[in-house]
Amino acid sequence: MTDVYHEVMRTIWDHNLHFGLWTSEEDESSNRVAAERMTALHIDKLGARHGWRVLDLGRRVGTSAFRLAEASHADIVSVSPCADHVRLANVRAEALFVDDQVRFVHGDPHAMPFCADTFDAAWAVETLPHLGDRAGVLRELARVVKPSGVVVVSDFVQRRPVSQDVLDELKPALTTYDIDELPTFAGYPKLLAAAGLRVVELLDLTAETRRTLDRMRDGARRHYNALVAAYGEKAQQYLDQLLSPIALQPSLGYVLAVARV
């Protein structure tokens, strides 16, 4: 079955579906370079190394997990709620000859199929917004990571709290992109603490990632007709919500959190 979301985003953005990171207003890096820079920042904050066992909380075909394995030489286990994505990611691991280092398993992020204290570290790169019950997923990450282990997560937030009217206006876009809700930046340490995680660093990367939506919108305009012709109403929903003025709501932001169990 065609993953319409993946095809749309790959066309208007890049094969690496994560947000990009630009270093300044003058930085004109390509989408791919900016997205790889964001992945590299996550890898640096996680600090994994050879001999570690790391949990990747993923959703699609494992791009971040492969980058982490290559950079850190750690052993990676990625869990995803989508069986089709797990199957494709394992095929990809075999094709890349890293299936002895990177393994993908099907599981519920709210009740992961691992014993307590299994991993040296864990990360969730822009995964939490799409899973619902962030607190429950974060508790699971805290459970399966060893004491003093590192947990790195990135998330979409309200940089400043917005009114209920704005949230109501955002609802169609959030629903289309499978985002349950938007926590506040100021409230994020409490969210992590409630899950048993101690904040080490909290980065507001809103300014550095803002160009992502601009680039996605440009791509959506350029490829709109071709994508709708190829993938129909579902593609149109993704594109229309991305092109809606509410998508540029200035109070929306991006957070990267580093925590310890």
Side-chain angles (χ1 to χ4, degrees):
M1 183 176 67
T2 301
D3 184 340
V4 176
Y5 173 83
H6 184 272
E7 294 302 321
V8 167
M9 299 308 293
R10 181 184 63 82
T11 301
I12 69 172
W13 173 247
D14 185 59
H15 75 284
N16 184 340
L17 303 186
H18 297 301
F19 270 40
L21 182 71
W22 284 267
T23 57
S24 69
E25 290 293 327
E26 292 72 35
D27 182 0
E28 293 295 335
S29 297
S30 68
N31 298 345
R32 179 163 298 185
V33 167
E36 294 291 349
R37 186 184 290 138
M38 177 64 86
T39 302
L41 177 62
H42 283 74
I43 291 171
D44 179 66
K45 295 300 181 182
L46 192 69
R49 56 183 182 269
H50 178 69
W52 281 28
R53 193 178 189 209
V54 179
L55 173 68
D56 165 60
L57 185 57
R59 288 186 72 235
R60 296 200 176 268
V61 293
T63 298
S64 296
F66 293 125
R67 294 289 186 274
L68 175 59
E70 180 182 24
S72 68
H73 305 289
D75 292 323
I76 315 298
V77 179
S78 181
V79 62
S80 169
C82 178
D84 284 341
H85 292 158
V86 167
R87 177 182 58 79
L88 291 171
N90 278 318
V91 168
R92 189 178 176 194
E94 291 179 9
L96 293 170
F97 302 104
V98 294
D99 50 306
D100 60 338
Q101 185 187 0
V102 186
R103 180 168 61 94
F104 297 85
V105 300
H106 180 222
D108 180 358
H110 303 87
M112 287 187 268
F114 309 114
C115 296
D117 305 338
T118 295
F119 298 95
D120 298 288
W123 74 356
V125 183
E126 299 172 21
T127 311
L128 290 178
H130 309 286
L131 298 176
D133 185 21
R134 281 176 178 81
V137 176
L138 289 168
R139 281 194 297 270
E140 275 294 275
L141 292 178
R143 180 184 70 82
V144 301
V145 172
K146 298 173 183 177
S148 298
V150 182
V151 175
V152 171
V153 300
S154 49
D155 204 345
F156 307 130
V157 296
Q158 300 175 54
R159 193 182 191 191
R160 298 181 301 276
V162 299
S163 69
Q164 187 59 51
D165 287 345
V166 172
L167 291 175
D168 290 343
E169 194 174 356
L170 277 167
K171 188 68 174 177
L174 298 180
T175 300
T176 297
Y177 281 88
D178 196 26
I179 298 175
D180 183 50
E181 61 179 348
L182 293 169
T184 64
F185 181 87
Y188 221 85
K190 292 182 179 179
L191 180 64
L192 294 167
L197 296 167
R198 175 175 55 84
V199 176
V200 175
E201 189 174 12
L202 199 68
L203 298 177
D204 180 354
L205 298 179
T206 303
E208 292 83 350
T209 58
R210 182 69 73 187
R211 196 172 300 183
T212 300
L213 286 177
D214 292 335
R215 295 277 184 93
M216 286 183 179
R217 286 163 63 87
D218 288 344
R221 293 187 189 97
R222 288 198 309 272
H223 299 285
Y224 188 97
N225 291 336
L227 286 167
V228 172
Y231 303 109
E233 183 180 351
K234 190 64 176 177
Q236 185 173 5
Q237 290 176 359
Y238 287 129
L239 296 167
D240 285 349
Q241 291 301 332
L242 187 60
L243 292 172
S244 168
I246 195 65
L248 297 180
Q249 166 58 235
S251 294
L252 301 185
Y254 188 109
V255 63
L256 191 155
V258 183
R260 286 195 178 272
V261 178

